[in-house]
Amino acid sequence: MIQTGRSALITGAGAGIGRATARAFIGAGWRVALMGRRDAALVETAESDEALILPADVGDPAAVEAAFAKVEERWGRLDVLFNNAGISLPARPIDEIPVADWLALCQTNITGMFLCARAAFGLMRRQEPQGGRIINNGSISAHVPRPGSAPYTMSKHAVTGLTRSLALDGRAFDIACGQIDIGNALTDMAAAFADGVPQAHGGIAPEPVMDPAHVAATVLHMAELPLSVNIPFVTVMARDMPYIGRG
């Protein structure tokens, strides 16, 4: 495998979309840092000794700073952050959602996104040559909700606000920011879609799903664009899922 010299950090790299994307970047010759809560899962993702393993909770400010410091120490720069880590909650009306569950989701989906973007932005500002790219993982829920999804939907609308702000503020420092909104990639989080999930009409129905490899390929395409080019928002989804016509 030919190394490109470019470096990327992927959060939530221990499973699902993060794992698929990490392996796509490694296969394309990138130097890849894998960040997630479970060390063993990150090692399994890497499938080699070439990746930088960073066990850390994205919602922990000190852990995030330490992880990005290791990237800077190892490679001297960061070219791409795939800000991917996120969690969801079981579907239920808002008054049945424990406040503790809401706070835990926010710690990962909002605070974690902010902390990792903040650390990446700072490194990309001070490195030479200056610049880089941040790719945030949004969701179809950043556009339209599913039934009973108030916490997750709110968090993904927040991600869109972060993307728009960074895309503007990054211009002065040659930092691009874009967002990938994903629909029904077949990960553990979305495994129930094929069996049947609540629909807007009140019923339960199965939904089409897609291979996460298509998400990984799209993220890699965004990452390999020159910094003078940006894809601010892109939606990748199982073609027939209820999004077009749902909202």
Side-chain angles (χ1 to χ4, degrees):
M1 178 175 58
I2 299 174
Q3 292 286 333
T4 67
R6 293 172 294 186
S7 57
L9 189 153
I10 297 170
T11 68
I17 289 167
R19 171 171 286 178
T21 305
R23 288 177 175 172
F25 273 71
I26 292 169
W30 285 65
R31 300 179 298 193
V32 180
L34 308 177
M35 187 170 170
R37 294 175 180 174
R38 297 175 296 133
D39 182 270
L42 299 176
V43 171
E44 185 179 347
T45 293
E47 297 182 327
S48 73
D49 296 328
E50 296 181 3
L52 177 59
I53 305 298
L54 300 172
D57 183 341
V58 296
D60 181 336
V64 169
E65 289 296 328
F68 279 81
K70 289 179 181 178
V71 171
E72 186 171 15
E73 179 183 1
R74 172 73 68 89
W75 296 321
R77 66 178 296 107
L78 179 66
D79 296 295
V80 168
L81 165 66
F82 181 34
N83 213 3
N84 166 69
I87 63 174
S88 62
L89 297 177
R92 60 183 67 173
I94 191 170
D95 59 313
E96 297 180 12
I97 297 168
V99 172
D101 289 355
W102 157 251
L103 294 173
L105 180 140
C106 287
Q107 191 67 20
T108 296
N109 291 17
I110 300 177
T111 299
M113 282 272 182
F114 173 87
L115 292 174
C116 291
R118 179 180 182 272
F121 197 98
L123 175 52
M124 290 171 182
R125 270 186 75 177
R126 65 178 176 267
Q127 65 194 14
E128 293 293 340
Q130 190 178 65
R133 188 181 305 274
I134 296 170
I135 302 171
N136 293 325
N137 185 345
S139 171
I140 296 294
S141 293
H143 304 271
V144 292
R146 288 184 173 277
S149 69
Y152 186 78
T153 297
M154 288 177 67
S155 74
K156 292 305 183 178
H157 277 69
V159 172
T160 297
L162 175 65
T163 300
R164 293 186 184 278
S165 294
L166 296 182
L168 176 61
D169 294 344
R171 292 174 183 174
F173 311 108
D174 209 20
I175 298 172
C177 185
Q179 179 169 317
I180 181 166
D181 294 324
I182 302 161
N184 289 17
L186 186 54
T187 64
D188 289 343
M189 186 183 293
F193 291 165
D195 297 325
V197 289
Q199 302 296 312
H201 56 67
I204 303 291
E207 296 185 8
V209 293
M210 66 175 179
D211 191 321
H214 300 302
V215 179
T218 304
V219 176
L220 182 60
H221 172 67
M222 295 169 75
E224 292 187 328
L225 292 170
L227 290 177
S228 58
V229 178
N230 192 33
I231 297 175
F233 295 94
V234 62
T235 299
V236 180
M237 54 178 270
R239 188 195 65 194
D240 295 338
M241 67 169 289
Y243 166 44
I244 304 299
R246 159 175 139 194

